[in-house]
Amino acid sequence: MRRSSVVAIIAATMITASAGAAEAQQQMKRVQVGVLECRGAASIGFIVGSVTNLGCVLHVDGRPDDRYIAVIQKVGLDLGLTEQTGLAWNVFAPVAQLGQGDLSGTYAGADASATLGIGVGGNVLVGGSNNSIALQPVSVQGQVGVSIAAGLESLELRPGR
């Protein structure tokens, strides 16, 4: 019974986040400019939140990769330990072409994930310059470990090497 309740809560959170992002997307015309892929090492959930460091790359057709350093902070239920994390988002912006480092900034949104061995999750984030950039999951987050999380998430992107 508990497992079903947790899955239902995670699904509801993801649907709510997706609906909010879709509404924000309609209010501001955006075009997909590329895909942001992030990878990180181990992280530990501390009941009321966690911090995860990631290395990210923005892939845009016909352009050199644009590298970023990311810090994800979660507030809400976050229990467990993950050995590695991989995330990918479609990047939507008000212009068709971004310059090097243009994704830098702070993004916020809802997060939900569950892991037992291999797990999944999802998050939709909005932020960047004047909250004009949306990061929407390409598929779902993948991670390895044992954890459960649901709550609010912030992502800070800084230019990387």
Side-chain angles (χ1 to χ4, degrees):
M1 180 73 166
R2 281 185 169 188
R3 189 178 209 181
S4 299
S5 299
V6 170
V7 171
I9 289 169
I10 290 170
T13 302
M14 291 174 67
I15 290 168
T16 302
S18 296
E23 183 179 321
Q25 182 82 17
Q26 290 175 355
Q27 291 176 359
M28 179 185 288
K29 296 294 180 189
R30 296 184 178 118
V31 294
Q32 182 178 353
V33 296
V35 175
L36 180 66
E37 292 182 354
C38 298
R39 301 225 182 278
S43 74
I44 300 172
F46 294 106
I47 301 176
V48 294
S50 66
V51 176
T52 305
N53 296 301
L54 306 163
C56 302
V57 178
L58 174 63
H59 301 286
V60 178
D61 289 339
R63 302 209 45 183
D65 287 344
D66 191 8
R67 299 192 180 283
Y68 293 88
I69 297 169
V71 177
I72 294 179
Q73 296 183 356
K74 296 180 184 179
V75 176
L77 173 66
D78 195 348
L79 297 170
L81 169 68
T82 57
E83 295 175 24
Q84 53 188 322
T85 300
L87 302 148
W89 290 278
N90 285 320
V91 178
F92 291 87
V95 295
Q97 197 169 43
L98 295 175
Q100 291 288 107
D102 280 355
L103 281 187
S104 295
T106 302
Y107 297 79
D111 169 72
S113 64
T115 303
L116 182 58
I118 297 175
V120 297
N123 46 34
V124 177
L125 305 170
V126 176
S129 177
N130 295 318
N131 287 329
S132 63
I133 298 174
L135 304 177
Q136 297 184 358
V138 171
S139 56
V140 290
Q141 164 183 332
Q143 54 198 23
V144 176
V146 176
S147 72
I148 184 166
L152 301 177
E153 176 176 306
S154 72
L155 167 70
E156 180 186 346
L157 287 173
R158 298 183 316 266
R161 301 175 215 185

